[in-house]
Amino acid sequence: QYWFSYELPYVTLKVIVAVELALNVLLLYCYRGNRNAHPLEYLPQILMDIVFLTLLLYFSGGATNPFVSLLLLPVAIAAVTLPRGLLLVVTLAALSAYSALLLRLSPHQMHNMDMQQHFVGMWINFVLSALVVVLIVASLSRAMRRQERFVSQLREEQLRQEQLVSLGTAAAQFAHQLATPLGTANLLVEELQDETADGKEHYLSQLKEQISLCSRRLQDFRIMAEEVKQNRKRNITLAKLALQLQQEIQLNFAATKVTYKLAETENLAIVADTTLLPALLNLIQNAVQASNSQQNLNIMISSQVIDKQLIISIRDFGKGLNQQSLLELGSTLVKSETGLGIGVMLSHATLERLGAQLKLYNHQDGGAVAEITMTLVELT
């Protein structure tokens, strides 16, 4: 209107553009919050674009308008977003629109058409069409890559969950089958204590103590399974967590020399269930084994509070982890000299379920570090 001074019904064209703009703003409002449209909802929107494009073309030269090829854009968008049947509907609608514009064209319009104006319009149309196609294809390509990454992550997570379910089923079956032999062994030890000479009662007492420990562990496992089933969680203060860790380490790894640097903030706690302590003990056991492999009995356990985040570090003095193990440990079963990495995998899954993060890396002075980050809550 201002650059080329073409003679067109600009008032009518502006009304059409205003109505189309209003409808698009309304649709933008309806689909806010990143809600995806169903194909049956998307189809009317594409047909609406065809209708408005056809009206704009009709009042600005009809089929002689060089921008008539814009009718291909709704077809291109439908080709990658709609099912085949709905794509056929859009294609027929675009063809019908172009055919109607062509049939409405009079010989007088063909005779008086300014070819220079037409060619300039074709060039502008090509530039705009190229830009629109590039933007659409680039955005669709990014969306497809995001979708592929999401599906890949879901597939990996499903595989990991299947492995965990298999391990959990095997553990439950093992615990169920272990109850009877433990009860029988306890009865046999009691009978042997009654019949054995005084010199050997000490060994039987130690054996009974170990059997009782296995029975308590089995009972703890049942309580833990029930809490996980009912998703019962509670606040655990840092002082209580530190005390439990020290008691369990003293009980299970008496020969290990542990250096503690634990934070004990009174008004902060973590929200967890009984599976947290076994998950931490699995990581501690791995650290003990790694240090022992280098004839070292030392490990280091430290914690600090940063911005209401509890960071627990468990460092061993072994030979460290190779790059492949750092990438795979915790997410899948990894075969190594000491096992398959089941303990780390179970700990990773447990901590993830509790909203914590597990990070493995090699210490600059030797050995490996398992770092757990958990969110703290204030006690009222």
Tab-separated table of all heavy atoms in Angstrom, residues 20 23-31 35-53 73-75 77-78 81-82 90:
chain	number	residue	atom	x	y	z
A	20	GLU	N	-8.597	-12.637	11.599
A	20	GLU	CA	-7.675	-13.773	11.731
A	20	GLU	C	-6.765	-13.600	12.954
A	20	GLU	O	-6.522	-14.546	13.697
A	20	GLU	CB	-6.837	-13.899	10.465
A	20	GLU	CG	-5.910	-15.106	10.484
A	20	GLU	CD	-5.124	-15.241	9.194
A	20	GLU	OE1	-5.120	-14.285	8.394
A	20	GLU	OE2	-4.504	-16.301	9.009
A	23	LEU	N	-8.723	-14.345	16.164
A	23	LEU	CA	-8.915	-15.780	16.375
A	23	LEU	C	-7.623	-16.461	16.830
A	23	LEU	O	-7.640	-17.353	17.688
A	23	LEU	CB	-9.440	-16.428	15.089
A	23	LEU	CG	-10.900	-16.120	14.749
A	23	LEU	CD1	-11.267	-16.698	13.388
A	23	LEU	CD2	-11.832	-16.691	15.819
A	24	ASN	N	-6.498	-16.055	16.261
A	24	ASN	CA	-5.216	-16.649	16.664
A	24	ASN	C	-4.856	-16.292	18.102
A	24	ASN	O	-4.312	-17.114	18.843
A	24	ASN	CB	-4.106	-16.206	15.713
A	24	ASN	CG	-4.062	-17.059	14.459
A	24	ASN	OD1	-3.661	-18.208	14.493
A	24	ASN	ND2	-4.510	-16.480	13.360
A	25	VAL	N	-5.145	-15.059	18.510
A	25	VAL	CA	-4.909	-14.672	19.903
A	25	VAL	C	-5.797	-15.486	20.835
A	25	VAL	O	-5.367	-15.925	21.914
A	25	VAL	CB	-5.153	-13.161	20.090
A	25	VAL	CG1	-5.147	-12.783	21.572
A	25	VAL	CG2	-4.098	-12.358	19.338
A	26	LEU	N	-7.055	-15.713	20.428
A	26	LEU	CA	-7.966	-16.527	21.236
A	26	LEU	C	-7.452	-17.954	21.369
A	26	LEU	O	-7.473	-18.542	22.458
A	26	LEU	CB	-9.356	-16.519	20.599
A	26	LEU	CG	-10.430	-17.365	21.302
A	26	LEU	CD1	-10.671	-16.839	22.719
A	26	LEU	CD2	-11.727	-17.351	20.503
A	27	LEU	N	-6.959	-18.517	20.264
A	27	LEU	CA	-6.417	-19.880	20.307
A	27	LEU	C	-5.148	-19.941	21.161
A	27	LEU	O	-4.914	-20.918	21.879
A	27	LEU	CB	-6.113	-20.362	18.879
A	27	LEU	CG	-7.344	-20.650	18.007
A	27	LEU	CD1	-6.942	-20.883	16.569
A	27	LEU	CD2	-8.088	-21.868	18.549
A	28	LEU	N	-4.333	-18.907	21.062
A	28	LEU	CA	-3.129	-18.846	21.894
A	28	LEU	C	-3.504	-18.847	23.377
A	28	LEU	O	-2.861	-19.513	24.191
A	28	LEU	CB	-2.327	-17.595	21.547
A	28	LEU	CG	-1.036	-17.361	22.332
A	28	LEU	CD1	-0.028	-18.460	22.041
A	28	LEU	CD2	-0.454	-16.002	22.005
A	29	TYR	N	-4.568	-18.136	23.716
A	29	TYR	CA	-5.035	-18.088	25.101
A	29	TYR	C	-5.579	-19.452	25.529
A	29	TYR	O	-5.338	-19.910	26.644
A	29	TYR	CB	-6.115	-17.014	25.244
A	29	TYR	CG	-6.719	-16.931	26.623
A	29	TYR	CD1	-6.060	-16.284	27.666
A	29	TYR	CD2	-7.953	-17.507	26.890
A	29	TYR	CE1	-6.603	-16.215	28.929
A	29	TYR	CE2	-8.519	-17.447	28.158
A	29	TYR	CZ	-7.834	-16.800	29.173
A	29	TYR	OH	-8.383	-16.737	30.432
A	30	CYS	N	-6.316	-20.112	24.623
A	30	CYS	CA	-6.917	-21.415	24.957
A	30	CYS	C	-5.853	-22.493	25.154
A	30	CYS	O	-6.033	-23.400	25.973
A	30	CYS	CB	-7.880	-21.848	23.851
A	30	CYS	SG	-9.357	-20.824	23.712
A	31	TYR	N	-4.754	-22.412	24.401
A	31	TYR	CA	-3.730	-23.456	24.460
A	31	TYR	C	-2.497	-23.007	25.247
A	31	TYR	O	-1.412	-23.522	25.037
A	31	TYR	CB	-3.327	-23.879	23.045
A	31	TYR	CG	-4.401	-24.699	22.362
A	31	TYR	CD1	-5.373	-24.085	21.589
A	31	TYR	CD2	-4.460	-26.072	22.526
A	31	TYR	CE1	-6.381	-24.818	20.985
A	31	TYR	CE2	-5.444	-26.818	21.932
A	31	TYR	CZ	-6.409	-26.193	21.154
A	31	TYR	OH	-7.392	-26.932	20.559
A	35	ARG	N	-0.278	-26.927	26.336
A	35	ARG	CA	-1.189	-28.064	26.146
A	35	ARG	C	-1.226	-28.438	24.670
A	35	ARG	O	-1.442	-27.590	23.805
A	35	ARG	CB	-2.604	-27.695	26.620
A	35	ARG	CG	-3.556	-28.880	26.561
A	35	ARG	CD	-4.881	-28.522	27.189
A	35	ARG	NE	-5.706	-27.696	26.334
A	35	ARG	CZ	-6.509	-28.183	25.388
A	35	ARG	NH1	-6.556	-29.480	25.164
A	35	ARG	NH2	-7.254	-27.382	24.665
A	36	ASN	N	-0.988	-29.692	24.371
A	36	ASN	CA	-0.967	-30.152	22.986
A	36	ASN	C	-2.380	-30.295	22.445
A	36	ASN	O	-3.288	-30.739	23.150
A	36	ASN	CB	-0.242	-31.490	22.873
A	36	ASN	CG	1.236	-31.357	23.164
A	36	ASN	OD1	1.831	-30.347	22.818
A	36	ASN	ND2	1.827	-32.367	23.788
A	37	ALA	N	-2.552	-29.941	21.188
A	37	ALA	CA	-3.861	-30.042	20.546
A	37	ALA	C	-4.057	-31.437	19.975
A	37	ALA	O	-3.141	-32.041	19.419
A	37	ALA	CB	-3.988	-29.001	19.436
A	38	HIS	N	-5.267	-31.957	20.115
A	38	HIS	CA	-5.634	-33.227	19.481
A	38	HIS	C	-5.757	-32.991	17.981
A	38	HIS	O	-6.105	-31.884	17.535
A	38	HIS	CB	-6.964	-33.711	20.072
A	38	HIS	CG	-7.330	-35.090	19.652
A	38	HIS	ND1	-8.011	-35.354	18.482
A	38	HIS	CD2	-7.098	-36.287	20.241
A	38	HIS	CE1	-8.195	-36.658	18.370
A	38	HIS	NE2	-7.645	-37.255	19.437
A	39	PRO	N	-5.464	-33.999	17.150
A	39	PRO	CA	-5.591	-33.807	15.696
A	39	PRO	C	-6.943	-33.258	15.256
A	39	PRO	O	-7.022	-32.436	14.334
A	39	PRO	CB	-5.353	-35.221	15.151
A	39	PRO	CG	-4.423	-35.844	16.137
A	39	PRO	CD	-4.838	-35.296	17.465
A	40	LEU	N	-8.020	-33.692	15.933
A	40	LEU	CA	-9.340	-33.188	15.562
A	40	LEU	C	-9.512	-31.717	15.959
A	40	LEU	O	-10.384	-31.026	15.421
A	40	LEU	CB	-10.429	-34.042	16.214
A	40	LEU	CG	-10.543	-35.479	15.679
A	40	LEU	CD1	-11.626	-36.242	16.430
A	40	LEU	CD2	-10.842	-35.474	14.181
A	41	GLU	N	-8.724	-31.241	16.914
A	41	GLU	CA	-8.721	-29.817	17.258
A	41	GLU	C	-7.809	-29.025	16.323
A	41	GLU	O	-8.067	-27.860	16.016
A	41	GLU	CB	-8.231	-29.622	18.692
A	41	GLU	CG	-9.105	-30.269	19.754
A	41	GLU	CD	-8.496	-30.119	21.132
A	41	GLU	OE1	-7.605	-30.913	21.487
A	41	GLU	OE2	-8.896	-29.189	21.861
A	42	TYR	N	-6.747	-29.684	15.888
A	42	TYR	CA	-5.764	-29.018	15.036
A	42	TYR	C	-6.281	-28.831	13.613
A	42	TYR	O	-5.957	-27.841	12.945
A	42	TYR	CB	-4.487	-29.858	15.037
A	42	TYR	CG	-3.241	-29.111	14.617
A	42	TYR	CD1	-3.079	-27.759	14.919
A	42	TYR	CD2	-2.221	-29.751	13.943
A	42	TYR	CE1	-1.947	-27.076	14.546
A	42	TYR	CE2	-1.071	-29.085	13.567
A	42	TYR	CZ	-0.946	-27.746	13.870
A	42	TYR	OH	0.180	-27.070	13.502
A	43	LEU	N	-7.111	-29.792	13.148
A	43	LEU	CA	-7.640	-29.727	11.781
A	43	LEU	C	-8.409	-28.437	11.509
A	43	LEU	O	-8.156	-27.758	10.493
A	43	LEU	CB	-8.516	-30.961	11.506
A	43	LEU	CG	-9.235	-30.983	10.157
A	43	LEU	CD1	-8.221	-31.040	9.016
A	43	LEU	CD2	-10.193	-32.169	10.089
A	44	PRO	N	-9.362	-28.012	12.361
A	44	PRO	CA	-10.080	-26.748	12.080
A	44	PRO	C	-9.160	-25.532	12.032
A	44	PRO	O	-9.427	-24.584	11.284
A	44	PRO	CB	-11.078	-26.640	13.245
A	44	PRO	CG	-11.224	-28.018	13.765
A	44	PRO	CD	-9.911	-28.679	13.556
A	45	GLN	N	-8.080	-25.563	12.803
A	45	GLN	CA	-7.165	-24.421	12.790
A	45	GLN	C	-6.435	-24.316	11.449
A	45	GLN	O	-6.239	-23.221	10.903
A	45	GLN	CB	-6.161	-24.557	13.937
A	45	GLN	CG	-6.829	-24.573	15.301
A	45	GLN	CD	-5.822	-24.677	16.433
A	45	GLN	OE1	-4.750	-24.097	16.375
A	45	GLN	NE2	-6.178	-25.419	17.470
A	46	ILE	N	-6.036	-25.464	10.904
A	46	ILE	CA	-5.373	-25.443	9.588
A	46	ILE	C	-6.371	-25.045	8.496
A	46	ILE	O	-6.049	-24.264	7.587
A	46	ILE	CB	-4.750	-26.821	9.294
A	46	ILE	CG1	-3.646	-27.116	10.307
A	46	ILE	CG2	-4.191	-26.874	7.875
A	46	ILE	CD1	-2.942	-28.430	10.094
A	47	LEU	N	-7.597	-25.568	8.591
A	47	LEU	CA	-8.618	-25.179	7.602
A	47	LEU	C	-8.937	-23.689	7.712
A	47	LEU	O	-9.204	-23.022	6.699
A	47	LEU	CB	-9.889	-26.012	7.823
A	47	LEU	CG	-9.751	-27.520	7.546
A	47	LEU	CD1	-11.068	-28.230	7.846
A	47	LEU	CD2	-9.346	-27.776	6.090
A	48	MET	N	-8.896	-23.155	8.936
A	48	MET	CA	-9.118	-21.727	9.124
A	48	MET	C	-8.036	-20.919	8.397
A	48	MET	O	-8.329	-19.900	7.765
A	48	MET	CB	-9.112	-21.394	10.612
A	48	MET	CG	-9.386	-19.928	10.934
A	48	MET	SD	-9.130	-19.565	12.689
A	48	MET	CE	-7.327	-19.591	12.770
A	49	ASP	N	-6.782	-21.377	8.469
A	49	ASP	CA	-5.699	-20.694	7.757
A	49	ASP	C	-5.950	-20.703	6.251
A	49	ASP	O	-5.707	-19.697	5.564
A	49	ASP	CB	-4.361	-21.375	8.065
A	49	ASP	CG	-3.904	-21.109	9.489
A	49	ASP	OD1	-4.328	-20.092	10.052
A	49	ASP	OD2	-3.125	-21.918	10.025
A	50	ILE	N	-6.424	-21.821	5.730
A	50	ILE	CA	-6.701	-21.910	4.290
A	50	ILE	C	-7.809	-20.937	3.898
A	50	ILE	O	-7.732	-20.247	2.865
A	50	ILE	CB	-7.077	-23.366	3.915
A	50	ILE	CG1	-5.867	-24.290	4.104
A	50	ILE	CG2	-7.583	-23.442	2.475
A	50	ILE	CD1	-6.158	-25.746	3.837
A	51	VAL	N	-8.846	-20.859	4.743
A	51	VAL	CA	-9.968	-19.955	4.439
A	51	VAL	C	-9.496	-18.502	4.406
A	51	VAL	O	-9.810	-17.746	3.468
A	51	VAL	CB	-11.097	-20.142	5.476
A	51	VAL	CG1	-12.152	-19.042	5.324
A	51	VAL	CG2	-11.737	-21.512	5.322
A	52	PHE	N	-8.743	-18.089	5.410
A	52	PHE	CA	-8.289	-16.697	5.463
A	52	PHE	C	-7.301	-16.382	4.339
A	52	PHE	O	-7.334	-15.289	3.766
A	52	PHE	CB	-7.658	-16.398	6.830
A	52	PHE	CG	-8.672	-16.173	7.917
A	52	PHE	CD1	-8.782	-17.046	8.984
A	52	PHE	CD2	-9.534	-15.092	7.867
A	52	PHE	CE1	-9.712	-16.843	9.983
A	52	PHE	CE2	-10.477	-14.869	8.860
A	52	PHE	CZ	-10.578	-15.743	9.921
A	53	LEU	N	-6.415	-17.317	4.017
A	53	LEU	CA	-5.499	-17.108	2.898
A	53	LEU	C	-6.273	-16.957	1.586
A	53	LEU	O	-5.954	-16.113	0.738
A	53	LEU	CB	-4.517	-18.285	2.804
A	53	LEU	CG	-3.287	-18.214	3.692
A	53	LEU	CD1	-2.511	-19.532	3.639
A	53	LEU	CD2	-2.382	-17.068	3.282
A	73	LEU	N	1.594	-24.065	2.343
A	73	LEU	CA	2.115	-24.125	3.709
A	73	LEU	C	1.204	-24.906	4.666
A	73	LEU	O	1.697	-25.742	5.430
A	73	LEU	CB	2.366	-22.720	4.236
A	73	LEU	CG	3.605	-22.019	3.663
A	73	LEU	CD1	3.733	-20.615	4.233
A	73	LEU	CD2	4.856	-22.812	3.965
A	74	PRO	N	-0.119	-24.660	4.655
A	74	PRO	CA	-0.966	-25.487	5.521
A	74	PRO	C	-0.874	-26.975	5.187
A	74	PRO	O	-0.931	-27.817	6.093
A	74	PRO	CB	-2.380	-24.942	5.266
A	74	PRO	CG	-2.167	-23.545	4.806
A	74	PRO	CD	-0.904	-23.573	4.015
A	75	VAL	N	-0.706	-27.298	3.888
A	75	VAL	CA	-0.571	-28.703	3.504
A	75	VAL	C	0.741	-29.268	4.054
A	75	VAL	O	0.787	-30.404	4.557
A	75	VAL	CB	-0.618	-28.844	1.967
A	75	VAL	CG1	-0.428	-30.302	1.551
A	75	VAL	CG2	-1.931	-28.309	1.422
A	77	ILE	N	2.403	-28.244	6.718
A	77	ILE	CA	2.281	-28.392	8.172
A	77	ILE	C	1.435	-29.613	8.522
A	77	ILE	O	1.769	-30.386	9.420
A	77	ILE	CB	1.677	-27.110	8.783
A	77	ILE	CG1	2.623	-25.931	8.562
A	77	ILE	CG2	1.409	-27.295	10.269
A	77	ILE	CD1	2.046	-24.599	8.977
A	78	ALA	N	0.336	-29.791	7.773
A	78	ALA	CA	-0.530	-30.942	8.032
A	78	ALA	C	0.187	-32.257	7.749
A	78	ALA	O	-0.081	-33.275	8.396
A	78	ALA	CB	-1.798	-30.838	7.178
A	81	THR	N	1.999	-33.229	10.936
A	81	THR	CA	1.304	-33.126	12.226
A	81	THR	C	-0.006	-33.897	12.284
A	81	THR	O	-0.485	-34.181	13.383
A	81	THR	CB	1.002	-31.654	12.567
A	81	THR	OG1	0.256	-31.066	11.496
A	81	THR	CG2	2.293	-30.869	12.778
A	82	LEU	N	-0.590	-34.242	11.139
A	82	LEU	CA	-1.908	-34.879	11.129
A	82	LEU	C	-1.846	-36.286	10.546
A	82	LEU	O	-0.967	-36.583	9.726
A	82	LEU	CB	-2.894	-34.036	10.312
A	82	LEU	CG	-3.249	-32.645	10.860
A	82	LEU	CD1	-4.230	-31.946	9.935
A	82	LEU	CD2	-3.816	-32.736	12.269
A	90	VAL	N	-7.166	-31.746	4.333
A	90	VAL	CA	-6.485	-30.457	4.176
A	90	VAL	C	-6.042	-30.256	2.728
A	90	VAL	O	-6.181	-29.157	2.164
A	90	VAL	CB	-5.287	-30.376	5.142
A	90	VAL	CG1	-4.466	-29.125	4.864
A	90	VAL	CG2	-5.763	-30.385	6.591
